[in-house]
Amino acid sequence: MPTAYPLPKNLSPATVANTASLIRIVALALISGAAIASRLFAVINFESIIHEFDPWFNYRATRVLAAKGFYEFWNWFDPTAWYPLGRVVGGTVYPGLMATSGVIYNLLHAINLPVDIRNICVLLAPGFSALTAWATYMFTKEMKDASAGLLAAAFIGIVPGYISRSVAGSYDNEAIAIFLLMFTFYTWIKALKQGSALFGTIAAVTYFYMVAAWGGYAFITNMIPLHALVLILMGRFSSRLYVAYSSWYAIGTLASMQVPFVGFQPVKTSEHMAALGVFGLLQIVAFAQLVRSHISSQQFQRLLVAGVVSIGVLGALAFVLLTYKGWIAPWTGRFYSLWDTGYAKKYIPIIASVSEHQPTAWPSFFMDLQFLIFLFPAGVILCFRELRDEHLFVIIYAAVASYFAGVMVRLMLTLTPVVCVTSAVALSTLLDTFIDPIEPEITDDAQSESGASTTSSVPGTNGAASTAPTATSAAASKKAKKAAPAASSEPGLKLSDVFASSTVKTSRPRGIYGLDTRVMIVFNTTLVLAFFVSHCTWVTSSAYSSPSVVLASTNPDGSQHIIDDFREAYYWLRQNTPEDAVVMSWWDYGYQIAGMADRPTLVDNNTWNNTHIATVGKAMSSSEEVAYPILRKHDVSYILVIFGGLIGYSGDDINKFLWMVRIAQGVWPDEIQEPNYFTPQGEYKVDDSASPAMKNSLMYKMSYYRFAELFGGNPGQDRVRQQQVPKVGPTLDYLDEAFTSENWIVRIYEVKKEDPLGRDLKSANAFAHGKKRKRSKPAPRRRAIV
Amino acid sequence: MVYLRSLVFLIAGLATTLHAKSSTGDSVLVVVEPNQQDNYSLFFNGLKEQGYDLTFRAPKAETPVVIEYDVANFAHVILLAPETKVFAKDITPQSLVDLLGKKTNLIVALSPKQTPLSSLAAEFSLTLPPPGTPLLSYFPEREEPASVIPVPVPASHSILSSNLPPVWFSGAPHSLGNNPLIVPILRAPAASFASETDGGSPDALVDAAERGGEGLWAGSQLGLVTGFQTLDGSRITWLGGAAILSDEFATKEVSKGVPSGNLQFARDVAKWTFQEAHVLRIDRTTHHLVNTTEPLELYTTNDQIVYTAYISKYDSVSSSWVPYSGIKDLQLEFTMLDPHIRTALLPVSNEPGKYLVTFRAPDRHGVFKFLINYKRKGLSFLESSTTVAVVPPRHDGYPRFLSAAWPYYTGAISTSVAFFLFSALWLAGDSREKRAKGHKAE
């Protein structure tokens, strides 16, 4: 048998297998190391700090959990959040993340490693990314083979689409959720393949963990039933499917209902109905199979038609009735916004106002996935070639996740794993083909039976890689045979001839001749992979490793300059205000204020109460006189605004201001109207031509209070909006400036107490500045009698 | 016990009869022109006898300053310079408002003349008539000029002693705005009006009267002496004219053999203004569950909560705070944004100064405040706010074994029993099954 390059002859198969497994272990270890290391940019460039917004709450909750134990955490009522409504944290939180950190913390302390809880929180995401790499390896191994698994693990380890949510310090639910997602899928596939109740139960348990950890568990809740449904529709119902699904659904649903935040949702809301419906359908189908084995086929046909029709109609009617009666909650707004991207903006501005709920821009696909996005379709097509049950799963997953990733930026996260898996399948097929040393024999008779898959007899570098197909083809029963014609009849699959390998039987021998083609292809692939690595490193270090609590800029000489205004201001609050001083700010900063300044806040990133947020929006967008009673009613002592006009920080409150107006308008359409905040020409301006409503709004006044003074008589320049601010800045009667950070990013105002003489504060202020009051006459007490 | 305590009070009271003291301090600064100082000697001596420590200062003198290093130097200030147009630079309308913020009490005399103080009055919702228009009255018929008026005092008044004879008044009236912090002390007689000293032109008066009183400064709605209590609790009294405190009016008879009430009136006004009388405070408040004593930071919804307030009143005779149970209309609010509960907080009999109420916490979790907000004219304001959280029951705090849940219990129990039976039958029937299988195989 001709080979393209010489192979060592005298190796025993056991040695090859052992070496391959050693290499796999080493590779996995290195991949884990790379996954962890590439997420540490944030710690090295900045410090070990919790990032962004939500992680601050998770961190705070974890500290409570670590300090007081699980039961106290479960019953934790946080009186400082959503003042004065308070937040029942134990019942409104996915506790999986905190519980995980708490367990790790207690474990480390039990073995006398006194690690700070903060460091555990910071490093949890990188740690779990290593596990994700392993879970992806296992998953992909089920799809193709171990070499594809290793590639997939390497991809997911460093792909920016996943790193963006899991750098060190990004202590968010997604940090552990992606691992659980992949692991649940892996165990589901395993359960399906083996028809094993054990793996079904493991899938249910990891599903429970996932439910406890992330609201995105609904993705699994719908993916697995969808897969099962497609299998049934394709006539692939089997007792393996029945066992796997039933054990997963029954145990998983019961377990998920133990999470207080989820409660009875799995049997009450529309999002979970698909899983329940498929469960019911499976029982019916299984029953039908049972009946079929006992009666004649003609009777069965009739019975089947009648049964399916009546049950389907009854089920649909029951569902409609239950929804109509309100026993099943209708779809939520978040769900609708998945189908109609304009929906949220129209009806629920609070969801639309979050930047990560915006539709994805095309460049970000390349930014997050680089060349994987090109390999992704090829991998999906390769899945069609074999089309085993698990390949169907990947195909469905790919289709669904691509759609969702296009709709919402944050759902890029769910697309990333399947892209890694399919790309790895595609790439490893390519490499299998071209590294395979065997050249086709030039004979006239087609060597159809042996084909290129003579691997079991040929020990070589790809030994481990090519044993899997043989094994699977041996194990594959009718399904593989069924799949093969289906695959070859697909016109699009002509493409796949390029990657031709063992399974497709053709009359002519397939293979690669010579070493030059092999070297060229392998070299190019290596080059692409190298570019991928460098791209990932660059994106990770430059785009995804900023804590956003601390900002970095560059000095003229190229050195790094740290802008630390947020912490400066939060620590000012912590040190200089009474502990029960309520701080009002836009909801973005609620968690940070609670976490870093330790002060009660009106609203925070857990946006559960739209009216309360609208109240803050109203206070911010009204004039001082209107806002003051609102502030007093809510016991607000300090107001915190973010202002980027001085150093050009574009994520400031003036840029978010229209959302405040919109949200307030949703609740008080008579008092707040969005058009009032634009100039007559319809522009959003902060300069002299700004509309009166804009200029009188509390937000505008707080942002630009004394800003013009900085420029010593010259017109002040707002560097975010590139506009000149009015020379005479706004005045404040009801607030006092309390603190402004170094770069003016954070400005804190103190709400004045009511005037002791019972005047309104505006006239009190005028009096204090020595302005004369207009003489007034006594009010007439009598009406003239004519 | 009670007898013993009252005896102690009695002795203490006897010992300090002459030294009735203010609750906020004894130092008084009197700003008065030196040449007029003797005109008010009866009033000043009365204060001195009470134990006040009087310091005199001319309006234009630089020292002693009223506020030094942002601290008020005196507990009380009397400004008896109604006609002075220029004060030393530390006495401005703004600094006087400042003084009130620093718990200093003020007595300010006005006059028909326009001075910096008359513009200050506007900040207290008092509107003064145009300059040069003192209060005039031609009734009752008397020898004195029309601008010197005997003003009858209401027989019972919360601040003044009861059954005072009329007091002599001369000066400018003021009309009262609708500021709830104003405490009217003395009103103008019904037949009086403000006009120029010569009585003004009768035509103008008739004109004004025909317009229904519009623009006419007349009648009993006008105030002559008006108190004002700021939200901080400090008090200021505006006198329409300084003469009401003068020796001349104090000794002048209202009618044959009836001395005027001026001296007693001045004492009463000083007593109120300098916080000797009508001074209340909340000593402390506590809250706890029924049948316990320790206050909690977290209550559970529907808990029975006991709220107690201890209130005392300042007794100037003994210069001490005495428990006070005299308030009948005190209310307690349990508030989150809006009052969820508003209930009467009634005094407990037999326990002086103790007010207690028991109520059920609302079925609503959140951060609540126990609020006492008792504001009555003339009395010092009672305000108290205590924040507690009301939380939902703990995970194990809900009732167990509800009768409504019996279907579920039945379901669980029956499934368990059925599983047990099934297992038992399965195991028992095992061998036969095998045999049957074996037969089939054959």
Side-chain angles (χ1 to χ4, degrees), chain A residues 374-598:
Chain A
F374 309 129
L375 281 184
F376 172 46
V380 175
I381 286 170
L382 281 175
C383 286
F384 270 107
R385 285 183 53 202
E386 280 190 70
L387 213 63
R388 289 188 311 242
D389 292 353
E390 60 267 31
H391 293 128
L392 266 175
F393 183 79
V394 170
I395 291 164
I396 298 167
Y397 184 6
V400 171
S402 320
Y403 175 76
F404 286 147
V407 173
M408 258 191 208
V409 178
R410 72 187 294 194
L411 293 182
M412 185 70 107
L413 189 64
T414 51
L415 176 67
T416 306
V418 73
V419 168
C420 291
V421 170
T422 51
S423 313
V425 168
L427 198 71
S428 92
T429 310
L430 180 75
L431 289 176
D432 280 353
T433 312
F434 282 90
I435 294 180
D436 186 5
I438 297 166
E439 289 188 322
E441 290 175 57
I442 313 165
T443 51
D444 283 337
D445 356 313
Q447 289 291 73
S448 59
E449 249 338 288
S450 60
S453 65
T454 46
T455 29
S456 50
S457 60
V458 181
T461 45
N462 64 337
S466 47
T467 43
T470 333
T472 45
S473 65
S477 47
K478 299 159 206 161
K479 231 152 271 159
K481 275 178 197 159
K482 219 184 279 172
S488 54
S489 68
E490 197 81 28
L493 288 181
K494 292 280 183 285
L495 227 170
S496 64
D497 291 357
V498 180
F499 311 110
S501 83
S502 59
T503 46
V504 181
K505 294 170 188 169
T506 49
S507 51
R508 285 172 53 207
R510 294 292 181 99
I512 315 294
Y513 294 99
L515 202 59
D516 47 354
T517 348
R518 287 185 163 80
V519 168
M520 211 163 75
I521 297 289
V522 171
F523 176 74
N524 271 329
T525 311
T526 318
L527 209 63
V528 167
L529 286 174
F531 275 126
F532 176 63
V533 170
S534 104
H535 171 83
C536 290
T537 314
W538 175 76
V539 170
T540 306
S541 68
S542 65
Y544 289 141
S545 291
S546 161
S548 91
V549 174
V550 184
L551 306 170
S553 70
T554 320
N555 284 332
D557 62 355
S559 60
Q560 197 185 39
H561 176 67
I562 297 286
I563 296 169
D564 207 358
D565 281 37
F566 287 100
R567 285 196 292 180
E568 183 192 352
Y570 294 141
Y571 288 159
W572 183 88
L573 274 177
R574 186 188 267 266
Q575 312 264 338
N576 294 283
T577 61
E579 243 173 68
D580 53 356
V582 178
V583 181
M584 181 174 100
S585 70
W586 191 234
W587 60 262
D588 297 21
Y589 313 103
Y591 279 162
Q592 290 188 348
I593 294 172
M596 283 187 260
D598 195 21

Side-chain angles (χ1 to χ4, degrees), chain A residues 113 119 153 166 214 216 270 314 320 387 437 570 574 621 721 734 766:
Chain A
L113 284 176
N119 285 323
S166 64
W214 192 34
S270 302
L314 278 179
V320 168
L387 213 63
Y570 294 141
R574 186 188 267 266
S621 45
R721 286 153 285 272
Y734 291 81

Side-chain angles (χ1 to χ4, degrees), chain A residues 317-368:
Chain A
L317 277 181
F319 183 72
V320 168
L321 184 78
L322 288 175
T323 311
Y324 182 72
K325 280 275 182 187
W327 291 339
I328 301 177
W331 307 104
T332 58
R334 247 172 245 259
F335 178 81
Y336 282 126
S337 61
L338 281 180
W339 309 110
D340 176 7
T341 47
Y343 180 87
K345 198 169 178 183
K346 262 179 273 168
Y347 301 107
I348 16 174
I350 192 128
I351 290 181
S353 74
V354 181
S355 63
E356 61 184 23
H357 290 165
Q358 306 298 329
T360 317
W362 285 112
S364 67
F365 278 100
F366 184 75
M367 167 114 160
D368 279 358

Side-chain angles (χ1 to χ4, degrees), chain A residues 253-327:
Chain A
T253 304
L254 281 177
S256 68
M257 287 166 75
Q258 306 310 310
V259 178
F261 192 26
V262 176
F264 276 90
Q265 276 182 39
V267 291
K268 274 187 157 173
T269 60
S270 302
E271 281 93 334
H272 300 78
M273 281 302 123
L276 182 62
V278 170
F279 181 64
L281 188 65
L282 264 180
Q283 310 306 319
I284 295 168
V285 172
F287 183 68
Q289 297 277 3
L290 184 74
V291 172
R292 186 163 69 173
S293 64
H294 284 87
I295 58 174
S296 73
S297 75
Q298 205 178 14
Q299 281 173 311
F300 179 73
Q301 286 290 341
R302 253 182 268 148
L303 203 67
L304 184 73
V305 171
V308 164
V309 168
S310 58
I311 287 173
V313 168
L314 278 179
L317 277 181
F319 183 72
V320 168
L321 184 78
L322 288 175
T323 311
Y324 182 72
K325 280 275 182 187
W327 291 339

Side-chain angles (χ1 to χ4, degrees), chain B residues 8 10 12 23 27 59 78 132-133 135 142 156-157 168 183 212 317 362-363 381:
Chain B
V8 169
L10 197 66
S23 62
S27 55
I78 304 175
T133 54
L135 189 74
R142 59 191 184 276
S156 74
H157 190 282
W168 289 104
V183 185
V317 179
D363 191 8
F381 301 146

Side-chain angles (χ1 to χ4, degrees), chain B residues 114-392:
Chain B
Q114 174 100 12
T115 66
L117 295 182
S118 39
S119 72
L120 177 62
E123 301 299 321
F124 294 80
S125 299
L126 307 183
T127 316
L128 300 185
T133 54
L135 189 74
L136 303 179
S137 177
Y138 296 100
F139 301 94
E141 201 177 355
R142 59 191 184 276
E143 290 166 9
E144 287 82 10
S147 63
V148 177
I149 307 160
V151 184
V153 181
S156 74
H157 190 282
S158 63
I159 291 172
L160 304 175
S161 318
S162 48
N163 297 321
L164 269 187
V167 295
W168 289 104
F169 176 84
S170 167
H174 42 253
S175 81
L176 310 180
N178 53 6
N179 193 325
L181 304 175
I182 286 179
V183 185
I185 297 176
L186 189 65
R187 301 259 191 193
S192 62
F193 56 93
S195 185
E196 282 149 31
T197 328
D198 56 2
S201 71
D203 292 345
L205 288 177
V206 170
D207 265 7
E210 274 178 353
R211 271 184 281 125
E214 190 89 21
L216 181 68
W217 298 78
S220 61
Q221 289 302 324
L222 294 179
L224 301 181
V225 175
T226 301
F228 188 101
Q229 181 165 275
T230 66
L231 289 176
D232 300 337
S234 45
R235 292 170 177 177
I236 176 170
T237 302
W238 295 89
L239 307 172
I244 200 167
L245 304 180
S246 67
D247 297 354
E248 185 199 342
F249 281 10
T251 50
K252 194 179 177 81
E253 288 186 341
V254 196
S255 56
K256 267 273 179 279
V258 181
S260 75
N262 279 49
L263 196 58
Q264 187 57 40
F265 179 83
R267 278 222 175 110
D268 288 343
V269 166
K271 204 172 165 183
W272 180 80
T273 314
F274 293 168
Q275 315 232 9
E276 285 175 41
H278 303 99
V279 183
L280 301 174
R281 75 172 182 201
I282 298 178
D283 291 327
R284 65 196 172 89
T285 62
T286 61
H287 50 89
H288 53 81
L289 286 175
V290 170
N291 299 331
T292 61
T293 49
E294 286 304 303
L296 301 178
E297 276 180 21
L298 300 174
Y299 290 98
T300 309
T301 50
N302 298 325
D303 272 351
Q304 289 287 337
I305 303 178
V306 180
Y307 181 85
T308 321
Y310 297 88
I311 294 176
S312 38
K313 185 175 191 173
Y314 183 71
D315 178 36
S316 61
V317 179
S318 60
S319 23
S320 64
W321 293 89
V322 185
Y324 180 65
S325 290
I327 305 176
K328 304 295 177 210
D329 53 353
L330 195 61
Q331 286 186 331
L332 173 74
E333 287 177 5
F334 199 51
T335 301
M336 181 181 71
L337 292 182
D338 299 308
H340 283 57
I341 285 171
R342 181 183 282 149
T343 175
L345 186 56
L346 294 172
V348 181
S349 51
N350 298 332
E351 288 186 77
K354 183 174 177 181
Y355 296 73
L356 180 141
V357 69
T358 305
F359 64 94
R360 188 178 66 106
D363 191 8
R364 172 87 176 80
H365 61 78
V367 182
F368 282 82
K369 287 187 289 189
F370 295 104
L371 272 187
I372 293 180
N373 188 358
Y374 184 76
K375 294 197 171 95
R376 296 292 181 273
K377 278 190 196 271
L379 289 178
S380 39
F381 301 146
L382 295 180
E383 286 177 287
S384 161
S385 164
T386 317
T387 306
V388 293
V390 175
V391 304

Side-chain angles (χ1 to χ4, degrees), chain A residues 71-72 74-75 77-81 83-88 580 608 612 632-635 754-759 763-764 766-773 775-785, chain B residues 93-94 97 100 114 119-120 122-124 127-131 175-176 179 181 211-217 221 228-232 298 336-338 364-367 369 387 389-395:
Chain A
Y71 279 112
E72 284 310 307
W74 191 358
N75 290 303
F77 178 84
D78 184 3
T80 65
Y83 185 90
L85 307 175
R87 177 179 175 191
V88 186
D580 53 356
W608 64 275
H612 217 52
R632 294 300 298 179
K633 188 176 178 187
H634 291 83
D635 298 330
E754 267 144 17
D755 180 57
L757 304 187
R759 303 165 290 182
S763 44
F767 168 75
H769 288 99
K771 285 188 193 128
K772 276 265 160 62
R773 178 189 279 262
R775 270 196 77 87
S776 58
K777 282 195 168 176
R781 290 174 195 275
R782 291 177 290 177
R783 299 257 311 278
I785 303 161
Chain B
Q94 280 78 13
V97 172
L100 284 173
Q114 174 100 12
S119 72
L120 177 62
E123 301 299 321
F124 294 80
T127 316
L128 300 185
S175 81
L176 310 180
N179 193 325
L181 304 175
R211 271 184 281 125
E214 190 89 21
L216 181 68
W217 298 78
Q221 289 302 324
F228 188 101
Q229 181 165 275
T230 66
L231 289 176
D232 300 337
L298 300 174
M336 181 181 71
L337 292 182
D338 299 308
R364 172 87 176 80
H365 61 78
V367 182
K369 287 187 289 189
T387 306
V390 175
V391 304
R394 289 176 65 89
H395 67 281

